[in-house]
Amino acid sequence: MSASPDEPAREGAPAADIEGAEPLAPAELDQAISRVEHELGRLFARIRVSWREAAQTVHPDLQPLGYQVLTSIATGKATSAGAIIERLQTDKSAVSRHVRQLEQLGLVESVPDPDDRRARVLVATELAQERVALARSRYEERLGERLRRWSSEDLDHFAELLAAFGD
C-alpha cells in the first residue's frame, strides 16, 4: 500500500510503504519495533481481560481458557477434543479438564457423531449458546465503541496492517 504522489503519506504508515520515504536509521527502527512490541503487549493484556470478563459472564467459575473451549464448540469450529487442541494450540489435559467442567456446568454435552456413530462430538447446550451470545454482545459493544471513533479509512488501513502482520 503506497501513497501516490498526489496523496499525503499516512501518519504511522510503514516507511517501506511510503514512496520516497527515507528508511529509518537502525536505532530509530529498533525504537519503533520496541514501541510495537510494547503496544502488542498492552493489546494482548486487554484481550486476556476481555476473555476473563466473557468467561465470568458465562459462569462465575469459568476460566478464560474454558471460555475459549466453549466458544470453539459453540461456533462449531471445533467439536472434538483433538480439534480444540489444534485450534487453541494447548495441551490435552487442559482441554479435558475444561470440557469436563463445561459438562458439569451444563454448558456442553457429548453426543454421538451423526457421521460416525462410534465417535462422539461436543455440542453447546442452549444455556451455553445464550450466555456466549450475551458475552459476545458485551465484547462487541465495547469494541464497537472504540472503533467507531476511527474513520473508515483508518479502519481499513488497520485491518490491512493486521492481516499483513498475521501472515
Side-chain angles (χ1 to χ4, degrees):
M1 181 166 93
S2 297
S4 73
D6 299 338
E7 294 177 7
R10 294 179 68 112
E11 186 176 330
D17 282 357
I18 301 172
E19 289 179 16
E22 293 294 319
L24 293 176
E28 291 174 319
L29 185 58
D30 288 345
Q31 192 173 37
I33 290 170
S34 291
R35 182 168 176 235
V36 169
E37 289 173 344
H38 172 78
E39 293 304 327
L40 282 172
R42 287 186 47 204
L43 177 61
F44 293 151
R46 183 67 207 135
I47 290 169
R48 285 190 299 273
V49 167
S50 293
W51 284 337
R52 187 172 37 250
E53 290 170 353
Q56 296 298 302
T57 298
V58 172
H59 193 279
D61 295 334
L62 193 60
Q63 296 295 308
L65 181 57
Y67 175 75
Q68 291 178 286
V69 169
L70 178 59
T71 58
S72 295
I73 295 166
T75 59
K77 293 179 181 168
T79 58
S80 68
I84 295 166
I85 291 165
E86 178 69 25
R87 178 170 170 74
L88 300 179
Q89 294 295 297
T90 191
D91 62 278
K92 184 177 181 178
S93 64
V95 169
S96 295
R97 185 172 55 254
H98 287 288
V99 167
R100 207 169 27 257
Q101 180 190 33
L102 292 168
E103 287 175 324
Q104 291 168 350
L105 295 173
L107 300 169
V108 168
E109 297 174 335
S110 175
V111 299
D113 184 336
D115 298 327
D116 180 358
R117 304 294 278 167
R118 297 169 294 167
R120 300 194 65 80
V121 293
L122 299 166
V123 295
T125 63
E126 188 175 319
L127 174 63
Q129 293 288 357
E130 291 170 5
R131 294 206 179 153
V132 166
L134 176 61
R136 293 283 314 149
S137 70
R138 289 179 180 173
Y139 170 76
E140 289 168 1
E141 184 178 319
R142 284 191 308 270
L143 185 61
E145 285 173 12
R146 290 176 180 207
L147 294 179
R148 280 186 185 82
R149 298 179 203 154
W150 296 15
S151 71
S152 62
E153 289 113 8
D154 284 344
L155 289 170
D156 287 342
H157 188 229
F158 183 57
E160 289 170 8
L161 289 173
L162 284 175
F165 185 71
D167 286 342

